Structure formats: structure tokens, C-alpha cells
Amino acid sequence: MKRRLLSVAADLALIAYFVFALFPVVWMVILSLKPTNELFSTYFSFTPTLDSYRTVLGAGDDQGVPFVRFFVNSLVVSLGAVALSLVIGLPAAYAAARWRFRGSENLMFTLLSFRFAPELTVIIPLFVLYQKLGLFDTYVGVVWVLQLVTLPLIVWIMRSYFSDLSPELEQAALLDGYTRKQAFFRVALPLVKPGIAAVSLLAFIFAWNNFVFPLILTSSNAQTVTVGALSFLGGDRPKYNLTAAAALVSVVPPLLLALTIQRYLVRGLSFGAVKS
């Protein structure tokens, strides 16, 4: 009886935590469905409307904020950052896993520190450099700076995937006449596809959610959804319903991507969890 009561109490505590954690999302959905005239006068009793979504997507009366363009900008720079990081990071991770030398671990930790270093420590020098080089408010500039977010993540995680592969597989390929480059592309790379899918999704989410770099290094042409969503808060009366709708719309690409590669994602996140 006591064990059953403890089990029920644990279930209730879990449900309470679930409701607590999910409530901000529910509240955003409620805000996004509220009409402007009921935004501050009601809590849960209101007339639902999709006007906020129509305005955010450019089909409403308020055309002051080009959120669709910000949305496209985020797709371009996030996908570009992930693609460039994969091109550079996969060979780097493979090299870090296969060739160890004195100071290699320190080098890897230095690379990882770029990911966790406060972005504000480099944003002012980057702003000055971008102004001088003409990269301010450009796709190339945003993609390039997002490498500070995505590249260390890809190199560090993929290094562990390549380390879990048996070197004998590549040695057998070399004995069959493959070059080191062919062994990498035809043997090692196909075996870590689940890991590539998982790390690509994580890198995309980090790039998509980045706020500081687009805030300082863009103005309008390359501005992303994380900054553009705040545009609805300007003016004499903040439009919280439009901000909530914009935030929910911006969640769609990472969610769809996660659902699309879910099969590889689960396998990739568990790959190498148990070593022989």
C-alpha cells in the first residue's frame, strides 16, 4: 500500500511538473489566438481568431514588419551555416579522432571553448571588422559568424563518433587500394550518417535560435526571426499577440526537421553510448 501511494505521488508530481513546463507554450498559443481588443481584458475567455497569424505571414492589414522575409533569412543563414560547418567540421573531426599528437586534447578544448564563450566578448570587434569588410547585414556575414556556434559543436560531437569506429575498417580499405580520402568518404562517413543527422539538427537549432549576432551584425536585409519577432513589441502599445504568433511560426522549421530525421536522430544520439 505504501509503495502504491509513493507511486501515485510520483506520478502526480510528474504531471504537475509537466503542466508547469508546458504552460508557457500554452500561454503563447492563447496569446496568439487573442484579438487585439481582448488582449488585456481577458485571460482564458475570448473569441479565438487567426488574425495574428495572417498579419505575421503578410496576409493581414498590418504590413509594417516583413516577418516572412526574416523567416526566409533565418532559413538561408541557418542552413548555410550548418552546411559550411559540415564541410569543414567532418574532416576536422575525423582527423582529430584518428591522429593524436601532443597538445591535441588542449586544441580540442580550445575549439570547444569558442562555443561556450560569451558572445558579447567578441561582438564589438566583430562589429568593427564587419563594417570595414562590408559584411554587415549580409548573408555571408551572418553565415560566417555562426561558425562560432555550429563548427565547434560539430567537430566535438563527430569526433566521438569517428573514435567509436574501428580503425581496422579503414585499414582494410587501404589494403584494397583505397586512398585515405576514399576511405573517409566511402567507409567512415557512411557509418556515421546517424551521427551526422543528429549533430546537423542540433547545429541548426543553435544557429536558428542565435540572437546576439543577428541583433548586432544585421539591420534589415539579413535580419532573422529571433530579432524580427521583437519588432512587434515596438510602438506605444506592444502587440503581444503578434509576437506570440511570430514565435510559434518560428518553431516550425526545427520541429519539422526533427520529425523528418527522427529515425536517424534517435539512433544518432544513442550511437556509441555503449562501447565494447
Side-chain angles (χ1 to χ4, degrees):
M1 185 65 181
K2 183 179 180 180
R3 182 178 298 180
R4 185 175 181 180
L5 289 176
L6 290 176
S7 177
V8 172
D11 292 341
L12 291 176
L14 186 62
I15 293 173
Y17 177 77
F18 177 77
V19 172
F20 173 79
L22 194 62
F23 183 75
V25 179
V26 175
W27 187 249
M28 287 183 62
V29 173
I30 291 174
L31 279 178
S32 68
L33 295 175
K34 279 190 173 184
T36 303
N37 59 347
E38 298 183 55
L39 191 58
F40 301 100
S41 59
T42 63
Y43 288 99
F44 299 103
S45 178
F46 59 92
T47 305
T49 179
L50 296 177
D51 288 344
S52 297
Y53 291 95
R54 295 191 186 97
T55 300
V56 166
L57 297 176
D61 296 331
D62 188 355
Q63 303 293 330
V65 178
F67 185 78
V68 174
R69 179 157 57 85
F70 299 155
F71 189 89
V72 174
N73 290 346
S74 285
L75 283 177
V76 172
V77 299
S78 298
L79 292 174
V82 173
L84 182 59
S85 295
L86 288 174
V87 171
I88 300 173
L90 290 177
Y94 178 74
R98 288 293 180 259
W99 288 281
R100 303 294 177 92
F101 54 89
R102 187 175 181 179
S104 60
E105 290 298 324
N106 293 334
L107 179 62
M108 291 301 299
F109 277 109
T110 301
L111 179 65
L112 185 64
S113 67
F114 294 155
R115 170 66 190 88
F116 297 106
E119 296 170 348
L120 294 177
T121 59
V122 297
I123 196 64
I124 295 178
L126 282 174
F127 178 79
V128 175
L129 286 174
Y130 271 45
Q131 291 282 6
K132 296 289 186 180
L133 297 175
L135 295 175
F136 180 80
D137 199 24
T138 62
Y139 287 154
V140 174
V142 180
V143 169
W144 190 258
V145 76
L146 286 178
Q147 301 307 301
L148 294 174
V149 178
T150 57
L151 185 58
L153 180 71
I154 288 176
V155 173
W156 186 265
I157 294 179
M158 290 308 302
R159 179 199 181 203
S160 65
Y161 284 100
F162 286 120
S163 297
D164 288 336
L165 292 180
S166 175
E168 283 78 9
L169 295 173
E170 297 146 50
Q171 292 172 4
L174 295 176
L175 290 175
D176 286 340
Y178 282 29
T179 64
R180 175 64 69 175
K181 181 179 179 181
Q182 290 174 329
F184 169 68
F185 281 105
R186 298 185 181 182
V187 178
L189 211 57
L191 293 175
V192 296
K193 280 184 179 179
I196 295 175
V199 78
S200 298
L201 175 61
L202 293 176
F204 179 84
I205 291 174
F206 278 115
W208 182 272
N209 291 337
N210 190 267
F211 176 77
V212 174
F213 289 142
L215 177 66
I216 304 299
L217 301 179
T218 65
S219 60
S220 59
N221 294 330
Q223 196 170 102
T224 60
V225 290
T226 53
V227 181
L230 298 180
S231 303
F232 296 109
L233 295 178
D236 299 333
R237 189 174 185 181
K239 301 173 182 178
Y240 295 112
N241 52 345
L242 298 183
T243 304
L248 291 173
V249 169
S250 66
V251 173
V252 173
L255 184 60
L256 290 179
L257 184 61
L259 293 175
T260 303
I261 65 173
Q262 183 179 12
R263 178 166 58 95
Y264 296 102
L265 181 63
V266 174
R267 183 182 172 192
L269 292 177
S270 61
F271 187 85
V274 179
K275 295 185 180 179
S276 57

